[in-house]
Amino acid sequence: QVQLVESGGGLVQTGGSLRLSCAASGGTFSSYAMGWFRQAPGKEREFVAAIKWSGSRTYYADSVKGRFTISRDNAKNTVYLQMNSLKPEDTAVYYCAAGSQWGVRIVADTAVYDHWGQGTQVTVSS
């Protein structure tokens, strides 16, 4: 059973940066595609970014493209989300997720992911 633990959230001003980390344990990390999702109060969970098991392919939501970067270190069993030029609308709980499937048509679907972390809060003040 894969366990995922996010960290790195916090309060930041508009235009600032944060780096989220998600540490995995209990499985073969390099065999999983990893995704980041977020959920704001009163809204559904939405896709942010995903990275293939090797790190060779990435995919982003249009709302974060050019500002966020997903990466992974398979030797450390960790996936990262570098968030720059943050906006108030980026405020949400951010979750990482692990799944065994990949494809640009499916990576944004929460149903593709088998394992989820508990989330970390990101708050961007205006």
Side-chain angles (χ1 to χ4, degrees), residues 92-103:
V93 177
Y94 283 71
Y95 299 90
C96 70
S100 56
Q101 301 179 67
W102 176 266

Side-chain angles (χ1 to χ4, degrees), residues 29-30 32-34 50-60 70-74 79 102-104 107:
F29 180 73
S30 59
Y32 287 99
M34 299 297 297
I51 187 166
K52 205 173 180 180
W53 30 82
S54 64
S56 60
R57 296 288 301 275
T58 57
Y59 188 65
Y60 297 91
I70 188 171
S71 61
R72 66 190 296 162
D73 186 337
N74 286 347
V79 62
W102 176 266
V104 294
V107 291

Side-chain angles (χ1 to χ4, degrees), residues 54-124:
S54 64
S56 60
R57 296 288 301 275
T58 57
Y59 188 65
Y60 297 91
D62 287 343
S63 59
V64 306
K65 202 172 293 183
R67 299 189 298 124
F68 291 11
T69 302
I70 188 171
S71 61
R72 66 190 296 162
D73 186 337
N74 286 347
K76 295 183 178 179
N77 290 352
T78 302
V79 62
Y80 305 97
L81 186 68
Q82 178 67 44
M83 305 186 296
N84 299 328
S85 302
L86 283 161
K87 306 174 182 179
E89 51 264 44
D90 294 317
T91 295
V93 177
Y94 283 71
Y95 299 90
C96 70
S100 56
Q101 301 179 67
W102 176 266
V104 294
R105 295 182 182 273
I106 64 172
V107 291
D109 185 350
T110 57
V112 169
Y113 297 87
D114 305 307
H115 309 284
W116 292 83
Q118 84 291 346
T120 185
Q121 176 71 46
V122 171
T123 303
V124 184

